Amino acid sequence: MEMTVEKADRGRVTRDGIRIHEPAAFAGMHKAGRVAAEILDEMCEHVRPGVTTAELDRIITQKVEEKGATSATIGYRGYKHASCISVNHVVCHGIPGEKKLKDGDILNIDVTVIVDGWYGDTSRMYVAGKLSRKAERLIQVTHDALMKGIEMVRPGNTFGDIGAAIQEFVEAHRMSVVRDFCGHGLGRVFHAPPNVVHFGRRGSGPVLEEGMFFTIEPMVNLGRPETKVLADDWTAVTRDRSLSAQFEHSIGVTADGFEIFTLSPAGKFHPTWA
Ligand code: MF3
Ligand code: CO
Ligand code: CO
């Protein structure tokens, strides 16, 4: 008989329901994270004015297969695509479709793959054609906010320290952090406790422990933070239609800090267009 996921997954779970993974699990996460990051690296050359997001998703589907991985999003709660592609004022969960990218559009591509049962989840920003100054500033602040959050990751710090670092940085630049979507634990499952929110108070929330795996994936808006979900039940947009950006890494807590599982092998996490 096949072992269930629960039995195969060694380690323990904290009072907050957060799984503590054994050291050997890091290798599995690195392998999955690398495949997801490679796919995003390989998408750089495909993003240009005139291409549709459905075409980009078809390329991603093919790459997932070529690499011997499985898409985590196809079939997830009825979702039918290998990526989420969120253009301009779309905050997250943009559904690939037949609309062509125009010069100056900015977009987030988010890919999650499963390799040997481990999940790798990452997203980054791209531009079709010429980047405007205001979009460039938004993307830079969003990237740097993710990194400020990641720098807080070490045993003894709290999830509130991560959220506060992100929020303080973003608001110092007069932009806003989306409250309606968050990062998440992952491992041999796609979405697990805790909710990793990108705002909050230092010292609040669960304490980080070695062996926790989770994503940090801040969404930042040029205007107000409020979002709404469209009638397709997926696409989240800014209520004021202001531009939005997002970056996501999957990371693990080590004895003295963190490891990023979804580092770009080509060094193209940001910028993707250089
Ligand atoms: N990858 C997204 C995340 O960061 C989740 C996408 S779920 C989907 O959590 F169904 F919309 F693809
Ligand atoms: Co995620
Ligand atoms: Co994601």
Side-chain angles (χ1 to χ4, degrees):
M1 205 174 69
E2 266 208 314
M3 265 201 296
T4 64
V5 169
E6 276 308 308
K7 281 180 185 158
D9 210 344
R10 309 272 192 103
R12 63 188 178 84
V13 173
T14 69
R15 293 191 315 187
D16 302 294
I18 305 169
R19 183 167 289 284
I20 306 299
H21 297 86
E22 55 177 357
F26 280 75
M29 289 299 286
H30 272 291
K31 209 170 149 190
R34 185 187 173 91
V35 169
E38 275 172 5
I39 292 171
L40 291 187
D41 283 349
E42 293 169 11
M43 292 312 290
C44 295
E45 63 178 284
H46 297 287
V47 175
R48 51 184 166 69
V51 74
T52 69
T53 55
E55 280 160 11
L56 296 176
D57 185 70
R58 280 193 283 278
I59 296 168
I60 291 166
T61 304
Q62 198 175 341
K63 289 183 183 296
V64 170
E65 196 172 310
E66 276 167 17
K67 292 171 191 290
T70 304
S71 166
T73 56
I74 297 174
Y76 176 78
R77 298 190 181 193
Y79 196 77
K80 294 184 168 61
H81 309 273
S83 62
C84 296
I85 304 184
S86 302
V87 182
N88 293 339
H89 71 296
V90 179
V91 172
C92 63
H93 302 164
I95 301 175
E98 298 306 328
K99 205 163 147 189
K100 289 188 165 92
L101 294 176
K102 313 183 300 302
D103 186 44
D105 281 349
I106 61 166
L107 53 149
N108 174 279
I109 305 183
D110 189 340
V111 169
T112 310
V113 296
I114 312 169
V115 177
D116 301 335
W118 297 99
Y119 284 68
D121 185 5
T122 182
S123 80
R124 56 178 94 152
M125 295 301 295
Y126 299 79
V127 60
K130 187 174 159 28
L131 186 59
S132 74
R133 294 294 296 272
K134 70 172 186 178
E136 182 172 22
R137 208 174 134 254
L138 169 68
I139 292 170
Q140 186 69 46
V141 166
T142 308
H143 170 269
D144 293 353
L146 168 61
M147 292 306 168
K148 296 279 178 198
I150 291 176
E151 283 167 18
M152 297 309 296
V153 175
R154 74 179 73 103
N157 279 1
T158 71
F159 282 95
D161 293 329
I162 298 173
I166 292 169
Q167 182 180 13
E168 286 166 15
F169 182 79
V170 168
E171 293 179 355
H173 288 85
R174 306 201 154 279
M175 298 180 193
S176 60
V177 174
V178 169
R179 313 291 204 269
D180 303 335
F181 298 91
C182 58
H184 49 92
L186 83 175
R188 287 189 175 278
V189 294
F190 195 171
H191 293 112
N195 287 334
V196 181
V197 301
H198 306 109
F199 57 93
R201 272 195 353 268
R202 290 188 190 262
S204 69
V207 176
L208 299 177
E209 292 181 47
E210 182 180 357
M212 288 180 176
F213 298 163
F214 52 87
T215 72
I216 306 179
E217 48 182 298
M219 285 138 277
V220 175
N221 300 346
L222 273 183
R224 293 197 47 83
E226 291 82 8
T227 69
K228 67 175 179 192
V229 175
L230 300 185
D232 61 24
D233 273 350
W234 284 105
T235 313
V237 299
T238 55
R239 278 194 174 264
D240 64 5
R241 295 189 68 87
S242 65
L243 277 186
S244 188
Q246 180 179 27
F247 284 88
E248 176 176 25
H249 269 317
S250 297
I251 69 182
V253 184
T254 63
D256 59 0
F258 58 85
E259 280 177 19
I260 301 177
F261 298 130
T262 45
L263 283 176
S264 162
K268 288 183 181 169
F269 186 65
H270 174 70
T272 53
W273 52 83

